[in-house]
């Protein structure tokens, strides 16, 4: 398996959740980061209603993931997005090819058989996948038809279909940093099954029940293949609305009552949950939970299999599955064993806090992306800019300027001193004073 990074975003009726994981050459998936925001009333029964608000939400999730320390500084350039909702269901189909003589069954022959099976199916829904159940070569069941020789080649298939408007609104979601060829759609129901069901459970027969906020998806497996899928337009939020209407509560308060004291089964005598508030709340909870369980059992029977033919029982997942004692109610009505789905140990986590049942949905999409050769690397590492540091040049010394020195004054010419008078007749003077010393 090619090592690469996978990004997935789950868009549901109650939240938008994103996850980033890496897969190594041996196929080990390591979940690096999970982010989530609430998204009430923008998605109803699994179908996007407000495309603009959902687009804003998925881009917010992308920014949160890119800012997560386990992901930064990588940028998200690809994403796996689930396909699901109330209109998702299965249609049985059969195709037959006859040859003039013994012919080798090739991969192209199998594709021709799929097209033959779809020719007689009339439905207003969009076909999302054609999944094989059983192949027959010369009326003998074979697990792997390619390589066999025969004159008659027949196959039973399950077509997975969805309402066209559900798919169109999903494709209208705008990703700011991701182009259309990097958006990979995967069936949510089969992605979860691939993660949480064992090969033994698929072979013996089991029912995977995904109990969500506004939908319940029932997938029935037998002999290693999906044989029936149906989506019911009810969920745990239906119970919340019953409490809102019946007890005049806000949605927040009703949700708090449901999660804190809600109980799908009658409390045992003498238990603490017998106060007036709990009794009043659980009258609504038990009525609706019982109805949801009955609808699940009916869908299992619609698959054509009885409880004793699905020896591996029921595998329960989804946020609604956390309702106290719902698994017991479902087991009592179906007469089947019920176990809670869990993330297999082969999936590793960067943070142990992310290994919870609440993250099965996003991990399943990451798992599906990692095992699909069509899903390319979803992260891009931008080139790191190289910064070269130079030693700063010394700043020139600054001296306080001094006033310029006064120019040296040249000596000024002076007026010539008067010449001393020359006594032309010194002797005459002496005579006048009476000789040299006087007389």
């Amino acid at each position: 398996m090619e090592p690469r990074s996978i990004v997935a975003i789950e868009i549901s009726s109650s939240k938008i959740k994103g996850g980033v994981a890496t897969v190594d050459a041996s196929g080990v998936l390591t979940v690096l980061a999970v982010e989530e925001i609430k998204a009430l009333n923008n998605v109803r029964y699994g179908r996007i209603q407000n495309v603009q608000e959902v687009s804003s939400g998925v881009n917010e999730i992308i920014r949160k993931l890119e800012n997560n320390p386990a992901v930064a500084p990588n940028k998200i350039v690809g994403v796996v997005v689930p396909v699901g909702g109330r209109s998702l269901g299965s249609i049985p189909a059969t195709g037959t090819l006859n040859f003039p003589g013994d012919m080798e069954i090739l991969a192209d022959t199998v594709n021709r058989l799929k097209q033959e099976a779809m020719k007689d199916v009339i439905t207003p829904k969009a076909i999302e996948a054609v999944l094989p159940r059983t192949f027959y070569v010369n009326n003998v069941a074979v697990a792997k038809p390619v390589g066999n020789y025969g004159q008659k080649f027949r196959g039973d298939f399950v077509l997975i279909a969805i309402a066209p408007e559900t798919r169109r609104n999903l494709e209208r979601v705008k990703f700011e940093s991701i182009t259309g060829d990097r958006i990979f759609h995967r069936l949510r129901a089969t992605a979860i099954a691939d993660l949480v069901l064992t090969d033994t459970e698929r072979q013996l027969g089991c029912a995977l029940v995904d109990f969500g906020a506004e939908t319940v998806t029932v997938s029935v497996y037998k002999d290693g293949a999906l044989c029936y899928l149906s989506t019911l337009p009810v969920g745990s939020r239906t119970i919340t609305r019953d409490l809102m209407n019946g007890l005049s509560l806000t949605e927040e308060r009703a949700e708090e009552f449901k999660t804190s004291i809600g109980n799908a089964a009658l409390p045992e005598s003498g238990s603490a949950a017998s106060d007036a508030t709990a009794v009043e709340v659980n009258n609504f909870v038990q009525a609706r939970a019982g109805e949801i369980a009955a609808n699940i059992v009916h869908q299992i029977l619609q698959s054509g299999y009885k409880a004793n033919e699905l020896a591996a029982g029921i595998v329960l997942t989804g946020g609604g599955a956390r309702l106290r004692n719902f698994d017991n109610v479902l087991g009592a009505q179906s007469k089947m064993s019920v176990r809670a789905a869990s993330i297999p140990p082969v999936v590793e986590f960067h943070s142990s806090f992310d290994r919870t049942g609440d993250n099965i949905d996003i991990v399943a999409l990451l798992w599906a992306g990692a095992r699909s050769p069509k899903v390319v690397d979803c992260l891009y590492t931008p080139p790191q800019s190289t910064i070269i540091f130079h030693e700063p040049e010394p700043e020139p010394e600054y001296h306080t300027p001094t006033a310029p020195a006064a120019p040296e004054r040249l000596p000024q010419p002076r007026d010539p001193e008067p010449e001393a008078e020359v006594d032309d007749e010194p002797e005459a003077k002496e005579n006048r004073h009476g000789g040299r010393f006087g007389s």
Side-chain angles (χ1 to χ4, degrees), residues 18 33 161 275 377:
D275 61 272
D377 203 319

Side-chain angles (χ1 to χ4, degrees), residues 101-362:
D102 280 351
M103 296 284 293
E104 182 182 5
I105 307 299
L106 305 173
D108 287 343
T109 315
V110 176
N111 290 331
R112 283 177 53 200
L113 187 65
K114 289 182 179 180
Q115 296 300 320
E116 190 69 22
M118 294 175 61
K119 283 170 54 176
D120 297 330
V121 176
I122 300 175
T123 176
K125 294 184 176 182
I127 305 299
E128 289 292 329
V130 181
L131 306 179
R133 286 187 58 187
T134 311
F135 290 108
Y136 301 88
V137 177
N138 292 338
N139 296 322
V140 177
V142 294
K144 298 180 179 180
V146 175
N148 287 269
Y149 284 79
Q151 291 182 316
K152 186 176 182 179
F153 183 34
R154 178 168 63 89
D156 295 333
F157 298 90
V158 171
L159 311 184
I160 307 300
I162 195 168
E165 54 268 30
T166 300
R167 183 58 186 265
R168 282 197 299 267
N169 280 0
L170 185 61
E171 293 174 347
R172 287 169 177 157
V173 175
K174 294 179 174 60
F175 293 85
E176 293 174 355
S177 60
I178 304 174
T179 57
D181 61 334
R182 289 296 189 100
I183 301 174
F184 311 100
H185 295 96
R186 292 294 177 270
L187 287 171
R188 185 180 189 276
T190 56
I192 293 177
D194 290 342
L195 178 70
V196 303
L197 297 183
T198 66
D199 291 339
T200 301
E201 288 171 331
R202 292 167 181 265
Q203 191 64 36
L204 293 177
C206 67
L208 174 63
V209 177
D210 183 5
F211 186 7
E214 292 188 336
T215 60
V216 175
T217 302
V218 180
S219 307
V220 178
Y221 286 80
K222 182 69 175 178
D223 297 327
L226 176 67
C227 57
Y228 182 80
L229 188 149
S230 179
T231 304
L232 302 170
V234 293
S236 64
R237 202 175 177 192
T238 309
I239 300 174
T240 304
R241 292 196 187 97
D242 288 345
L243 295 174
M244 291 168 59
N245 297 328
L247 301 178
S248 300
L249 301 172
T250 64
E251 184 167 3
E252 292 77 12
R253 188 65 170 159
E255 184 70 20
E256 181 184 345
F257 275 144
K258 182 186 71 176
T259 56
S260 61
I261 62 176
N263 194 333
L266 291 172
E268 298 178 1
S269 58
S271 67
S274 58
D275 61 272
T277 301
V279 170
E280 196 172 15
V281 166
N282 286 320
N283 284 337
F284 291 97
V285 172
Q286 290 156 12
R288 184 63 74 177
E291 179 185 285
I292 293 173
N295 276 277
I296 292 171
V297 173
H298 177 71
Q299 291 304 313
I300 294 174
L301 295 175
Q302 287 292 104
S303 71
Y305 293 101
K306 298 178 182 179
N308 59 356
E309 295 176 293
L310 302 175
I314 295 173
V315 179
L316 186 60
T317 186
R322 296 196 300 269
L323 178 63
R324 189 178 293 106
N325 281 323
F326 181 78
D327 55 343
N328 295 329
V329 172
L330 182 59
Q333 290 200 27
S334 65
K335 305 296 190 292
M336 299 169 68
S337 62
V338 179
R339 79 164 179 88
S342 61
I343 299 173
V346 69
V347 179
E348 299 179 354
F349 287 82
H350 185 267
S351 170
S352 59
F353 294 104
D354 291 334
R355 183 181 283 279
T356 69
D358 292 343
N359 286 334
I360 285 178
D361 48 6
I362 194 65

Side-chain angles (χ1 to χ4, degrees), residues 15-82:
K15 63 185 179 300
I16 298 176
K17 183 185 293 186
V20 178
T22 58
V23 58
D24 62 19
S26 63
V28 175
L29 186 78
T30 302
V31 180
L32 301 180
V34 176
E35 299 287 351
E36 177 182 329
I37 61 173
K38 290 186 177 181
L40 297 176
N41 302 319
N42 295 323
V43 179
R44 297 306 310 274
Y45 304 104
R47 176 185 297 173
I48 296 172
Q49 299 291 333
N50 192 321
V51 175
Q52 181 177 346
E53 289 296 323
V54 171
S55 298
S56 176
V58 298
N59 287 302
E60 181 181 347
I61 285 290
I62 288 175
R63 287 189 291 271
K64 282 178 172 287
L65 290 172
E66 290 179 339
N67 291 331
N68 190 293
V71 179
N74 297 303
K75 299 299 179 183
I76 294 174
V77 294
V79 66
V80 178
V81 179

